[in-house]
PDB file of all heavy atoms in Angstrom:
ATOM      1  N   ASP A  26     -12.107  11.702  36.753  1.00 96.00           N
ATOM      2  CA  ASP A  26     -13.234  12.161  37.590  1.00 96.00           C
ATOM      3  C   ASP A  26     -13.467  13.626  37.538  1.00 96.00           C
ATOM      4  O   ASP A  26     -12.439  14.388  38.103  1.00 96.00           O
ATOM      5  CB  ASP A  26     -13.172  11.613  38.929  1.00 96.00           C
ATOM      6  CG  ASP A  26     -14.339  12.038  39.825  1.00 96.00           C
ATOM      7  OD1 ASP A  26     -15.310  12.456  39.383  1.00 96.00           O
ATOM      8  OD2 ASP A  26     -14.137  11.948  41.026  1.00 96.00           O
ATOM      9  N   SER A  27     -14.491  14.212  36.942  1.00 96.00           N
ATOM     10  CA  SER A  27     -14.620  15.645  36.990  1.00 96.00           C
ATOM     11  C   SER A  27     -15.475  16.263  38.047  1.00 96.00           C
ATOM     12  O   SER A  27     -15.434  17.490  38.204  1.00 96.00           O
ATOM     13  CB  SER A  27     -15.292  16.035  35.528  1.00 96.00           C
ATOM     14  OG  SER A  27     -16.650  15.570  35.414  1.00 96.00           O
ATOM     15  N   ASP A  28     -16.253  15.416  38.815  1.00 94.00           N
ATOM     16  CA  ASP A  28     -17.031  15.949  39.863  1.00 94.00           C
ATOM     17  C   ASP A  28     -16.869  15.513  41.163  1.00 94.00           C
ATOM     18  O   ASP A  28     -17.543  15.878  42.172  1.00 94.00           O
ATOM     19  CB  ASP A  28     -18.534  15.666  39.418  1.00 94.00           C
ATOM     20  CG  ASP A  28     -18.868  14.286  39.283  1.00 94.00           C
ATOM     21  OD1 ASP A  28     -17.989  13.427  39.665  1.00 94.00           O
ATOM     22  OD2 ASP A  28     -19.902  13.823  38.746  1.00 94.00           O
ATOM     23  N   ASP A  66     -17.264  -5.607  33.982  1.00 93.00           N
ATOM     24  CA  ASP A  66     -16.566  -4.394  33.394  1.00 93.00           C
ATOM     25  C   ASP A  66     -17.448  -3.721  32.328  1.00 93.00           C
ATOM     26  O   ASP A  66     -17.049  -3.018  31.412  1.00 93.00           O
ATOM     27  CB  ASP A  66     -15.307  -4.753  32.727  1.00 93.00           C
ATOM     28  CG  ASP A  66     -14.214  -5.352  33.797  1.00 93.00           C
ATOM     29  OD1 ASP A  66     -14.406  -5.017  34.921  1.00 93.00           O
ATOM     30  OD2 ASP A  66     -13.352  -6.143  33.441  1.00 93.00           O
ATOM     31  N   GLU A  88     -20.742  15.364  23.130  1.00 98.00           N
ATOM     32  CA  GLU A  88     -19.782  16.424  23.173  1.00 98.00           C
ATOM     33  C   GLU A  88     -18.423  15.815  23.161  1.00 98.00           C
ATOM     34  O   GLU A  88     -17.497  16.422  22.526  1.00 98.00           O
ATOM     35  CB  GLU A  88     -20.077  17.112  24.520  1.00 98.00           C
ATOM     36  CG  GLU A  88     -21.213  18.000  24.487  1.00 98.00           C
ATOM     37  CD  GLU A  88     -21.429  18.693  25.768  1.00 98.00           C
ATOM     38  OE1 GLU A  88     -20.849  18.387  26.885  1.00 98.00           O
ATOM     39  OE2 GLU A  88     -22.124  19.785  25.895  1.00 98.00           O
ATOM     40  N   PRO A 139     -25.217 -31.798  28.110  1.00 93.00           N
ATOM     41  CA  PRO A 139     -24.074 -32.806  28.533  1.00 93.00           C
ATOM     42  C   PRO A 139     -23.014 -31.976  29.228  1.00 93.00           C
ATOM     43  O   PRO A 139     -23.264 -30.794  29.484  1.00 93.00           O
ATOM     44  CB  PRO A 139     -23.552 -33.161  27.037  1.00 93.00           C
ATOM     45  CG  PRO A 139     -23.975 -32.087  26.248  1.00 93.00           C
ATOM     46  CD  PRO A 139     -25.210 -31.595  26.677  1.00 93.00           C
ATOM     47  N   THR A 277      -3.599  -5.882  14.467  1.00 30.00           N
ATOM     48  CA  THR A 277      -2.461  -6.692  14.058  1.00 30.00           C
ATOM     49  C   THR A 277      -1.222  -6.322  14.726  1.00 30.00           C
ATOM     50  O   THR A 277      -0.192  -7.104  14.850  1.00 30.00           O
ATOM     51  CB  THR A 277      -2.142  -6.385  12.562  1.00 30.00           C
ATOM     52  OG1 THR A 277      -1.997  -5.032  12.279  1.00 30.00           O
ATOM     53  CG2 THR A 277      -3.204  -6.948  11.706  1.00 30.00           C
ATOM     54  N   SER A 288      -4.345  12.832  36.154  1.00 40.00           N
ATOM     55  CA  SER A 288      -5.533  12.989  36.898  1.00 40.00           C
ATOM     56  C   SER A 288      -6.465  11.859  36.518  1.00 40.00           C
ATOM     57  O   SER A 288      -7.299  12.001  35.552  1.00 40.00           O
ATOM     58  CB  SER A 288      -6.341  14.250  36.726  1.00 40.00           C
ATOM     59  OG  SER A 288      -5.378  15.347  37.205  1.00 40.00           O
TER      60      SER A 288
END
Side-chain angles (χ1 to χ4, degrees):
D26 175 17
S27 67
D28 57 13
D66 297 335
E88 288 179 343
T277 55
S288 302

